[in-house]
Amino acid sequence: MLIGELAARTGTTTRALRFYEEQGLLTAGRTPAGYRDFEEQAVLRVRNIRELLSIGFTVEDVRAFLPYLDQEVPEVFPYEPRCATGYARVGPPRVAELDRRIAALTELRNRLVARMPWLAGEVPCDSTAAERAARPAPALPPIATPAPPSPRSDRPRR
């Protein structure tokens, strides 16, 4: 099937498919005219790639799943020692990165709400300035400021 049909059947763009191919996640033959020609199995592979990307993995992380991309990916990936160089290797750092991002966003939210407590629903918007000033800001738990998240340059631009 041609790239446009694969894009339509998988709900993605031709640009993303070319990117997956460039990254070694997808392969295509060529027609006599030089167009990309994908096998039927590419539909499942692209859906699996997109699913893994949608749950927080990067394109680089998805490479660890290469042996599994041409079959239905399980709802839950069990930990197996033999997978320590595959998908079990990429999970822990990805969760750690998500935890850092959550902490950074929580800290940002806490700082914003400290400046505008009415955003947290603690002070009604229709109260007077004197009433608002008399109310203490809501107590927010302290959160350590994490290192800034690293940029994700491995995603296709839209």
Side-chain angles (χ1 to χ4, degrees):
M1 88 185 72
L2 297 178
I3 194 168
E5 182 182 350
L6 180 59
R9 290 182 58 189
T10 57
T12 191
T13 64
T14 57
R15 185 174 181 180
L17 295 174
R18 287 186 200 99
F19 179 75
Y20 299 157
E21 185 180 16
E22 177 184 298
Q23 296 301 308
L25 299 176
L26 189 61
T27 57
R30 295 288 176 164
T31 67
Y35 294 110
R36 287 173 174 84
D37 186 25
F38 294 93
E39 299 290 328
E40 183 64 29
Q41 190 65 28
V43 173
L44 179 61
R45 179 173 276 251
V46 171
R47 286 183 180 154
N48 286 337
I49 292 167
R50 289 176 52 82
E51 180 180 345
L52 293 169
L53 292 172
S54 77
I55 62 171
F57 287 110
T58 65
V59 169
E60 184 178 329
D61 295 337
V62 173
R63 287 190 191 104
F65 292 86
L66 281 174
Y68 309 97
L69 293 179
D70 291 326
Q71 55 192 315
E72 293 293 334
V73 293
E75 190 67 28
V76 175
F77 283 93
Y79 176 79
E80 296 179 23
R82 66 184 176 164
C83 297
T85 59
Y87 67 77
R89 173 184 53 82
V90 298
R94 187 58 43 223
V95 169
E97 174 65 19
L98 292 172
D99 287 343
R100 281 190 295 276
R101 288 180 182 182
I102 289 168
L105 289 172
T106 301
E107 172 63 21
L108 187 60
R109 179 198 181 278
N110 290 348
R111 289 178 21 220
L112 176 60
V113 170
R115 290 282 187 95
M116 300 176 156
W118 48 268
L119 290 172
E122 299 295 323
V123 180
C125 291
D126 59 352
S127 60
T128 67
E131 290 170 332
R132 287 191 297 274
R135 292 189 185 188
L140 300 171
I143 295 180
T145 304
S150 60
R152 291 186 57 182
S153 62
D154 55 351
R155 297 179 85 185
R157 294 187 179 188
R158 296 182 186 218

